[in-house]
Amino acid sequence: MTLAEATPELENVSQTDRAFLGHPKGLGYLAFTEAWERFSFYGMQALLVLYMTKSLLLPGNVEQVAGIEQLRSIFGGIDGQPFASAIFGTYAASVYLTPILGGWLADRVLGKRRTVLIGAVTMAIGHFLMAFNVTFLLALLCLILGSGMFKGNIASQVGSLYKPEDLRRADAFQIFYLAINAGVIASPLIVGRLGETLGWHYGFGAAGVGMLVGLGIYLAGQKYLPAEHFDVPARTAKPSEPMSRNDWLATIALILLIPVLAVGIVPNNQIFNAYLVWGDRDFALYWGGEKLPTTWLITLDAVVSVSFLAIVAAFYRWWKTKWPEPDELTKIIIGSLFSIGGMACLYLAASTTPVGEKIGLFWPVMFHVVNSIGFAHMLPVSLALFARLAPKQINATVIGLYYLSLFGANSMVGWVGGWFETMPVTRFWLIHMGFAAASGFVFALFKLLLAPRLMHDAAPEDAALA
């Protein structure tokens, strides 16, 4: 079987296309589409709990929400902030489950392009439905389902732009994550500001407009994307190639790696939970005598993460001009080591500061720098690993399963974050160091025991360059 026969989705993508930062032009369209989708998603998410606690769930408004009392009964009759948190938690968790359904629809029914288009339209409808109290829960449902159709399938298309032996794939996912972080940085500045100053619905409307911009970019780039994802074979078409024993082994291995990856992500994602509580209480957040908002720690993290995604990508471009580029698993193991280092910075911040004194910003800033280097080696590269090893017959479904790692990680962050006030801060961050170390150890075992067999199709760097 030729490479063209084995990877029919590449038939309309020129393998010599390096028009976008040394990558196929399609990557640019996918990256900018994702940036605008993340702009709308994180902008809406930044407003959601504030909107519920300050407006929607207050007497006079909550009675207008269709189905709210039925939902309240499911959560045990809670009210106010706990009810808002429960709604938010259910929404955030569901967003990482529905990509499985979206992957199945793409693989078996609609194709990836159609599924992404329907998902984008569904999310835009959800954002605009947030303008009305009565449709609040319907809006959340649209956002959950739309995100499920969108998430895994657009990421899967990034991987499909490259041949199996093309090591630009990991670099491509780093660029893809760079676009994500650009959207994350911009969304609170625009969507959040509009929502909190002009009115909640202005913010939600801006998120909807952002989603429409992303949809327009995706439509404009259709001819630069793999054809398979739009032209779904007819029922009479030749059946797909059955999965081999190695395909099944790769699928099982990737599924087993999902909880390992979830554990490895916990240290990074704790930034949004206990880390903020600790920073608000113990950090010396002052500049020129003025107290800085605690939430600016998240802004700092997003800016540093974007910077080091670019720096790490540039570093490996330089590295491969002199030496063979590390494969995805090696980069993930390197990322685990940096994650351990990031947690060590927090441990040192707590252990070296005298009791009763505020923690200076040196160690927190060092944490964001070191942790961001680890992040650049883990999340985008792990997605590239899944895209590389997932059998082509169920590629989108496996990419959808990948997002279960984020569901598991966020669930663990909430659970582990509850330990913060029950133990010394130093022990709390030592536990997170343990999470990073355990995850890295398992990835190292995977590389030693299974990777040589599963990754044998990928040519070494020097052969690929030749």
Side-chain angles (χ1 to χ4, degrees), residues 318-460:
W318 167 81
W319 179 274
K320 69 182 181 181
T321 64
K322 299 180 180 295
W323 303 283
E325 182 177 357
D327 61 23
E328 294 94 340
L329 277 169
T330 302
K331 290 180 181 178
I332 292 172
I333 295 166
I334 293 171
S336 297
L337 294 175
F338 275 99
S339 182
I340 294 170
M343 294 301 104
C345 290
L346 298 184
Y347 170 81
L348 289 170
S351 63
T352 60
T353 303
V355 177
E357 292 187 15
K358 294 289 187 180
I359 296 172
L361 294 182
F362 172 78
W363 284 118
V365 170
M366 286 300 298
F367 156 70
H368 285 289
V369 169
V370 176
N371 184 72
S372 292
I373 297 174
F375 172 87
H377 282 83
M378 289 194 68
L379 260 69
V381 179
S382 62
L383 189 52
L385 177 68
F386 271 65
R388 177 182 181 181
L389 295 184
K392 61 182 180 296
Q393 299 92 331
I394 55 170
N395 185 270
T397 302
V398 173
I399 294 294
L401 289 173
Y402 166 86
Y403 287 98
L404 286 177
S405 64
L406 293 171
F407 169 79
N410 286 326
S411 299
M412 290 183 66
V413 163
W415 175 51
V416 175
W419 302 348
F420 177 72
E421 295 187 355
T422 67
M423 63 177 62
V425 175
T426 49
R427 185 187 304 171
F428 183 78
W429 296 119
L430 278 174
I431 289 173
H432 285 74
M433 287 177 65
F435 287 150
S439 175
F441 178 74
V442 175
F443 275 113
L445 285 180
F446 183 84
K447 179 173 176 60
L448 291 172
L449 301 178
L450 287 177
R453 179 174 180 178
L454 296 179
M455 303 174 76
H456 72 280
D457 289 333

Side-chain angles (χ1 to χ4, degrees), residues 8-9 11-12 106 109-114 222 225-234 237:
E9 68 273 17
E11 62 185 17
N12 76 318
V109 182
L110 298 173
K112 293 177 185 176
R113 288 200 198 181
R114 287 193 180 106
Q222 292 293 291
L225 304 181
E228 182 201 17
H229 303 300
F230 186 78
D231 300 324
V232 181

Side-chain angles (χ1 to χ4, degrees), residues 167-189:
L167 288 179
R168 290 183 301 162
R169 181 185 285 105
D171 186 40
F173 276 103
Q174 287 172 325
I175 293 172
F176 191 66
Y177 267 79
L178 186 65
I180 289 174
N181 278 273
V184 173
I185 291 171
S187 61
L189 299 176

